[in-house]
């Protein structure tokens, strides 16, 4: 889970005979592919900045967190959007404002539309309150109008998004129960995804549409989903996957997922979420989201965090992918920036052991994004 309850599906055996770490350890001298989307989801950073959190580079100099990450190779920022969250953070107005800061630093922008007032993930895809009584016909219009408005507002202020996700980790659909995939029936979900795609392209034809699942755990789960939406005539530009080794399996499994998605659907593939702990300790009263600890071959340390992140990038590149995004690298434990949008001041941060900044705000000196 990412600071909230998560549905974890069982993996299948890796499809490659070579050991995972041998496969991923280093790219060939003449790599057949390169990573152009070197990203991070810093959706909590705006709140941290407002609370006065300080970030430091590897030399101990205080700097803007985006500048530190850009110095480590990050070129793409992902921001989630909730329709009307109780906290106000991650709502459209806040995202419109922070998009200006992202673009002012010469970084690309991915907008991650949850179509919810709170977390959307494999186990939670609830409609925003304003749409709660709407059926599938009205929801198609809701998705189109809302998506177009978000995109067009960003475009009008000079921060046109480079990519937009139509939903977040929609393993079994979105906007439940109308958009829930039951008995492999993708019809309603297909309608919603087509509305979102059409809205993005009406706003700006060059903005890439991403459809994102956490189905890197299993080639069977991955093909079930993307075959299902393909059969409904859904269009998209980039296949987005989440990969956390403690939930989704080995690097060989990641290689299988990326290479299968790339060849089967003939679209670029990006890992739009990944992370790894630098410690198993906890900085606040909120339980750590990663309760299962470390992954085989790695401990919880700055060194392992940096090394595994490099291996994930290498594996994605070698499998034909185009990007990797670290999820919430700046979300350190800070009073007032809790995980629950209904109670930000009263909850803690379950991600404090997986940020790339330690509890004193200093960046992991080994963290790098590699093209």
């Amino acid at each position: 889970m990412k600071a909230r309850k998560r549905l974890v599906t069982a993996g299948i055996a890796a499809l490659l005979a070579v050991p995972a770490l041998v496969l991923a350890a280093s790219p060939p001298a003449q790599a057949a592919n390169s990573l152009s989307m070197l990203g991070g989801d810093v959706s909590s950073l705006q709140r941290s900045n407002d609370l006065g959190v300080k970030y430091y580079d590897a030399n101990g100099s205080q700097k803007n967190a985006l500048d530190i990450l850009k110095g480590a190779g990050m070129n793409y920022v992902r921001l989630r959007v909730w329709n009307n969250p109780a906290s106000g953070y991650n709502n459209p107005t806040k995202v419109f404002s922070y998009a200006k800061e992202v673009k002012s630093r010469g970084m690309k922008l991915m907008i991650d539309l949850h179509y919810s007032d709170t977390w959307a993930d494999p186990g939670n895809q609830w409609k925003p309150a304003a749409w709660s009584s709407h059926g599938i016909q009205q929801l198609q219009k809701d998705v189109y109008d809302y998506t177009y408005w978000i995109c067009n507002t960003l475009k009008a202020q000079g921060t046109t998004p480079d990519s937009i996700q139509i939903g977040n980790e929609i393993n079994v659909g979105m906007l439940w129960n109308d958009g829930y995939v039951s008995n492999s029936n993708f019809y309603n979900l297909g309608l919603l995804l087509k509305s979102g795609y059409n809205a993005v392209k009406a706003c700006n034809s060059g903005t890439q549409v991403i459809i994102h699942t956490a189905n890197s755990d299993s080639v069977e789960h991955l093909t079930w989903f993307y075959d299902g939406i393909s059969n409904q005539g859904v269009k998209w530009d980039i296949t987005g996957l989440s990969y956390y080794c403690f939930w989704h399996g080995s690097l060989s499994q990641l290689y299988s997922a990326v290479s299968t998605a790339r060849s089967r659907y003939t679209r670029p593939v990006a890992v739009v979420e990944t992370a790894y702990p630098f410690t198993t300790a906890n900085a606040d009263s909120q339980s750590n989201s990663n309760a299962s600890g470390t992954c085989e071959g790695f401990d919880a340390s700055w060194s392992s965090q940096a090394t595994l992140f490099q291996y994930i990038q290498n594996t994605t590149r070698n499998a034909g992918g185009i990007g990797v995004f670290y999820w919430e690298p700046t979300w350190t434990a800070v009073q007032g920036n809790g995980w629950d949008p209904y109670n930000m001041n009263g909850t803690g941060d379950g991600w404090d052991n997986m940020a790339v900044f330690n509890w004193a705000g200093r960046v992991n000196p080994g963290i790098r994004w590699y093209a």
Side-chain angles (χ1 to χ4, degrees):
M1 48 184 261
K2 299 189 297 289
R4 69 260 188 218
K5 192 172 182 179
R6 180 190 187 102
L7 178 66
V8 181
T9 50
I12 61 172
L15 300 182
L16 302 178
V18 294
L21 296 187
V22 173
L23 168 73
S26 60
Q30 297 295 325
N33 192 53
S34 62
L35 301 181
S36 58
M37 302 173 75
L38 307 173
D41 185 317
V42 295
S43 297
S44 68
L45 181 56
Q46 193 174 16
R47 173 66 169 175
S48 290
N49 287 339
D50 288 348
L51 291 169
V53 176
K54 294 178 172 58
Y55 294 93
Y56 303 88
D57 66 14
N59 296 319
S61 298
Q62 183 185 338
K63 294 181 179 177
N64 182 288
L66 286 183
D67 292 338
I68 296 170
L69 296 173
K70 185 175 180 180
M74 198 176 98
N75 66 11
Y76 216 127
V77 167
R78 179 182 190 243
L79 299 176
R80 64 176 165 266
V81 182
W82 290 332
N83 289 41
N84 187 25
S87 69
Y89 282 86
N90 305 127
N91 71 12
T93 300
K94 291 285 189 183
V95 172
F96 296 154
S97 174
Y98 201 66
K100 296 177 182 178
E101 185 165 354
V102 170
K103 289 286 192 172
S104 74
R105 284 173 163 75
M107 304 177 87
K108 292 189 174 182
L109 175 66
M110 179 194 299
I111 296 297
D112 175 14
L113 297 175
H114 283 224
Y115 300 111
S116 181
D117 293 333
T118 186
W119 298 105
D121 57 38
N124 299 279
Q125 293 284 340
W126 306 112
K127 298 175 189 175
W131 303 355
S132 61
S133 64
H134 295 180
I136 189 61
Q137 185 172 356
Q138 180 61 44
L139 287 171
Q140 292 176 72
K141 186 177 187 303
D142 293 334
V143 168
Y144 185 97
D145 292 347
Y146 180 78
T147 304
Y148 183 85
W149 171 64
I150 295 286
C151 178
N152 199 50
T153 303
L154 288 164
K155 179 181 176 181
Q157 69 174 20
T159 59
T160 302
D162 298 278
S163 57
I164 294 180
Q165 280 188 211
I166 307 302
N168 186 78
E169 293 189 330
I170 56 171
N171 292 27
V172 286
M174 65 186 198
L175 292 167
W176 292 350
N177 289 316
D178 296 84
Y180 182 78
V181 178
S182 178
N183 297 318
S184 297
N185 184 346
F186 285 84
Y187 181 75
N188 279 3
L189 178 59
L191 295 175
L192 298 173
L193 294 178
K194 284 185 276 191
S195 288
Y197 178 91
N198 290 339
V200 172
K201 296 305 180 180
C203 166
N204 185 61
S205 61
T207 297
Q208 296 177 302
V209 173
I210 300 171
I211 296 183
H212 169 214
T213 70
N215 284 335
S216 61
D217 69 307
S218 162
V219 167
E220 291 177 355
H221 295 155
L222 186 151
T223 56
W224 171 81
F225 178 89
Y226 289 101
D227 282 3
I229 63 172
S230 295
N231 291 337
Q232 295 300 319
V234 173
K235 298 177 183 177
W236 72 98
D237 301 312
I238 297 173
T239 302
L241 300 173
S242 295
Y243 172 74
Y244 300 94
C245 61
F246 34 83
W247 291 320
H248 297 121
S250 70
L251 291 166
S252 291
Q253 180 57 52
L254 172 63
Y255 185 98
S256 298
V258 173
S259 60
T260 298
R262 179 70 186 91
S263 61
R264 190 177 183 95
Y265 306 109
T266 62
R267 293 171 174 84
V269 180
V271 175
V272 298
E273 292 188 23
T274 193
Y276 190 75
F278 67 85
T279 180
T280 56
N282 188 9
D284 60 18
S285 60
Q286 191 73 38
S287 298
N288 289 339
S289 298
N290 171 17
S292 53
T294 58
C295 298
E296 184 177 0
F298 298 92
D299 63 358
S301 65
W302 259 359
S303 176
S304 282
Q305 184 187 65
T307 299
L308 183 59
F309 186 49
Q310 180 180 2
Y311 285 6
I312 291 167
Q313 292 174 79
N314 293 346
T315 301
T316 302
R317 181 191 303 107
N318 292 343
I322 64 165
V324 174
F325 286 69
Y326 200 102
W327 197 80
E328 288 287 9
T330 63
W331 200 3
T332 55
V334 179
Q335 179 62 39
N337 199 3
W339 73 272
D340 185 354
Y342 296 96
N343 187 17
M344 290 187 83
N345 291 311
T347 53
D349 171 15
W351 213 252
D352 54 64
N353 68 320
M354 289 201 283
V356 304
F357 292 84
N358 67 13
W359 301 342
R362 193 160 180 168
V363 74
N364 181 342
I367 282 289
R368 294 288 185 276
W369 282 258
Y370 300 92

